Amino acid sequence: KEKKKIERNRSKKQVKGVDDETTSLLPAGSLSALGDFLTILSVDFVIINAERVVSAALAATTSRTVSARRAGYFLLERLLEVLGHRTTKALPRPIMSQMYDRLKRGRIEDR
């Protein structure tokens, strides 16, 4: 019974749109670890998966928890470091525009 009760409470939070580290797609620690891992992987592998990484990072930057937001920004920063001049080839213009807007907004909000 207790397990079902926990599951119901968890699903209610998700329906209401509550976004904390327990209900977010990836916890902040995982996002930070992924950012560090990107520097170890081959650039070709990172290019292939860049859109997925950006998607996870952008989702985290809208989280209500500060740690998840910071981890999302950290992940975006690491991705840009790894891609370097290949960024424009690896990511479509709309995604780069979203990244720019989010990074610009985050710089103002999370001071």
Side-chain angles (χ1 to χ4, degrees), residues 40-57:
I40 299 169
L41 296 171
S42 72
V43 175
D44 292 331
F45 185 79
V46 174
I47 288 172
I48 291 169
N49 294 291
E51 287 187 48
R52 292 181 188 156
V53 172
V54 170
S55 177

Side-chain angles (χ1 to χ4, degrees), residues 73-89:
Y73 293 125
F74 174 76
L75 182 55
L76 287 174
E77 180 184 316
R78 286 296 171 131
L79 179 67
L80 291 172
E81 285 176 12
V82 170
L83 291 177
H85 68 278
R86 298 175 200 88
T87 303
T88 55
K89 292 181 181 179

Side-chain angles (χ1 to χ4, degrees), residues 1-93:
K1 284 185 176 183
E2 194 65 34
K3 199 172 191 180
K4 287 181 182 180
K5 190 175 185 179
I6 292 170
E7 288 297 321
R8 271 189 264 131
N9 288 338
R10 187 174 289 160
S11 65
K12 283 180 185 177
K13 282 184 178 180
Q14 289 171 346
V15 170
K16 290 181 182 178
V18 173
D19 186 22
D20 60 15
E21 289 187 65
T22 57
T23 60
S24 65
L25 185 61
L26 290 171
S30 297
L31 290 168
S32 296
L34 178 58
D36 290 333
F37 193 57
L38 288 176
T39 60
I40 299 169
L41 296 171
S42 72
V43 175
D44 292 331
F45 185 79
V46 174
I47 288 172
I48 291 169
N49 294 291
E51 287 187 48
R52 292 181 188 156
V53 172
V54 170
S55 177
L58 290 177
T61 60
T62 60
S63 175
R64 291 184 184 179
T65 60
V66 174
S67 60
R69 282 196 311 270
R70 287 186 178 162
Y73 293 125
F74 174 76
L75 182 55
L76 287 174
E77 180 184 316
R78 286 296 171 131
L79 179 67
L80 291 172
E81 285 176 12
V82 170
L83 291 177
H85 68 278
R86 298 175 200 88
T87 303
T88 55
K89 292 181 181 179
L91 296 171
R93 186 175 296 271

